[in-house]
C-alpha cells in the first residue's frame, strides 16, 4: 500500500499567500474533478448546476456573470448540458432572443449525487484543522476576497480594467 504524502509544498514564513491560495484552489478543483468524473459531469457543468440549484431559470448572461465566466464559455457549457439532459433552454416573457436555462428532472436529481462529493472534498481539505482554525480560515478568506474586490473596483474607478484572458479586444 502506498504511503500518503504529508506535504510536497514547503511553507516558509515568508511564503506568498497568493501562491498558497492558488495551490489550495487548484487542489480543491482537482479533487472535485476526480469525483465528478465518476458521474460524467465536468467541473464547468458543476459550476452552472450549483448556480441553477440556487436559482433556476437564469439567462445565459446571468449565469456567466454569477460564474465569473465569459458568455461564450457559458454558451458552450449550456449547449452540452442541454445535450446531456441536465437543462432545457427556452425563451421566457415573450423575449425571442434571450434564452433561460431551466433544470430538468435529471439536472435536479444530480444535486443529491454531486453535493456529497463536494462535501467530501471539503472534509478532505479540512482534515487536521480544528473547528476554530476552520472558522478563522473562512473569516480570513472572506476578508481577503472583499479586499481584492474593493481593489478591483478602485482600479475600475481609475479606468483600469482586468484584461481579457483570451483573444485580443483591440481591432
Amino acid at each position: 500500500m502506498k504511503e500518503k504524502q504529508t506535504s510536497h509544498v514547503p511553507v516558509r514564513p515568508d511564503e506568498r499567500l497568493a501562491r498558497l491560495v492558488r495551490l489550495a484552489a487548484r487542489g480543491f478543483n482537482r479533487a472535485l474533478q476526480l469525483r465528478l468524473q465518476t458521474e460524467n459531469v465536468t467541473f464547468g457543468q458543476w459550476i452552472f448546476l450549483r448556480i441553477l440549484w440556487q436559482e433556476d431559470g437564469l439567462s445565459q448572461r446571468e449565469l456567466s456573470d454569477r460564474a465569473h465566466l465569459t458568455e461564450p464559455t457559458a454558451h458552450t457549457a449550456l449547449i452540452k448540458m442541454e445535450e446531456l439532459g441536465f437543462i432545457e433552454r427556452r425563451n421566457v416573457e415573450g423575449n425571442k432572443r434571450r434564452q433561460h436555462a431551466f433544470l430538468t428532472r435529471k439536472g435536479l436529481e444530480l444535486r443529491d449525487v454531486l453535493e456529497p462529493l463536494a462535501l467530501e472534498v471539503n472534509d478532505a481539505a479540512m482534515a487536521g484543522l480544528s473547528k476554530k482554525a476552520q472558522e478563522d480560515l473562512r473569516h480570513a478568506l472572506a476578508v481577503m476576497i472583499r479586499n481584492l474586490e474593493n481593489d478591483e473596483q478602485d482600479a475600475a474607478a481609475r479606468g483600469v480594467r482586468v484584461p481579457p484572458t483570451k483573444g485580443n479586444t483591440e481591432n
Side-chain angles (χ1 to χ4, degrees):
M1 178 179 250
K2 188 176 177 183
E3 199 173 306
K4 284 187 180 182
Q5 290 183 347
T6 53
S7 176
H8 72 282
V9 180
V11 180
R12 300 181 319 264
D14 64 340
E15 184 68 67
R16 289 185 344 261
L17 285 175
R19 178 173 182 270
L20 293 174
V21 169
R22 183 181 56 80
L23 291 173
R26 180 179 179 269
F28 270 104
N29 292 348
R30 290 173 64 85
L32 184 56
Q33 286 172 342
L34 289 170
R35 288 159 175 83
L36 292 174
Q37 76 179 353
T38 65
E39 301 301 323
N40 296 315
V41 174
T42 67
F43 188 75
Q45 292 163 359
W46 159 255
I47 291 169
F48 291 113
L49 285 167
R50 282 197 63 211
I51 294 167
L52 290 168
W53 291 330
Q54 296 300 312
E55 188 174 354
D56 200 13
L58 295 172
S59 70
Q60 180 177 299
R61 174 168 289 154
E62 291 167 327
L63 280 165
S64 66
D65 287 347
R66 292 182 192 194
H68 304 285
L69 297 168
T70 65
E71 276 198 69
T73 300
H75 179 74
T76 302
L78 294 174
I79 288 172
K80 183 64 176 175
M81 290 172 71
E82 189 170 36
E83 289 171 0
L84 291 167
F86 299 165
I87 64 165
E88 173 186 290
R89 294 182 310 148
R90 62 180 185 259
N91 303 93
V92 295
E93 301 164 4
N95 187 333
K96 298 209 186 294
R97 283 190 55 210
R98 190 173 174 188
Q99 288 195 321
H100 292 248
F102 294 88
L103 290 163
T104 61
R105 176 173 295 199
K106 183 176 182 179
L108 286 166
E109 289 172 352
L110 277 171
R111 185 176 194 167
D112 291 336
V113 176
L114 300 181
E115 283 189 338
L117 300 178
L119 293 173
E120 191 177 292
V121 171
N122 282 322
D123 290 345
M126 295 300 209
L129 291 177
S130 68
K131 291 292 182 197
K132 173 80 169 96
Q134 291 180 37
E135 290 170 17
D136 290 346
L137 179 58
R138 278 188 179 86
H139 175 75
L141 289 171
V143 169
M144 290 169 61
I145 291 165
R146 185 182 65 238
N147 290 344
L148 292 168
E149 287 171 346
N150 290 339
D151 183 66
E152 186 175 342
Q153 288 174 358
D154 292 346
R158 296 188 313 273
V160 180
R161 302 252 184 243
V162 175
T165 56
K166 287 187 179 179
N168 188 348
T169 58
E170 294 179 358
N171 293 328

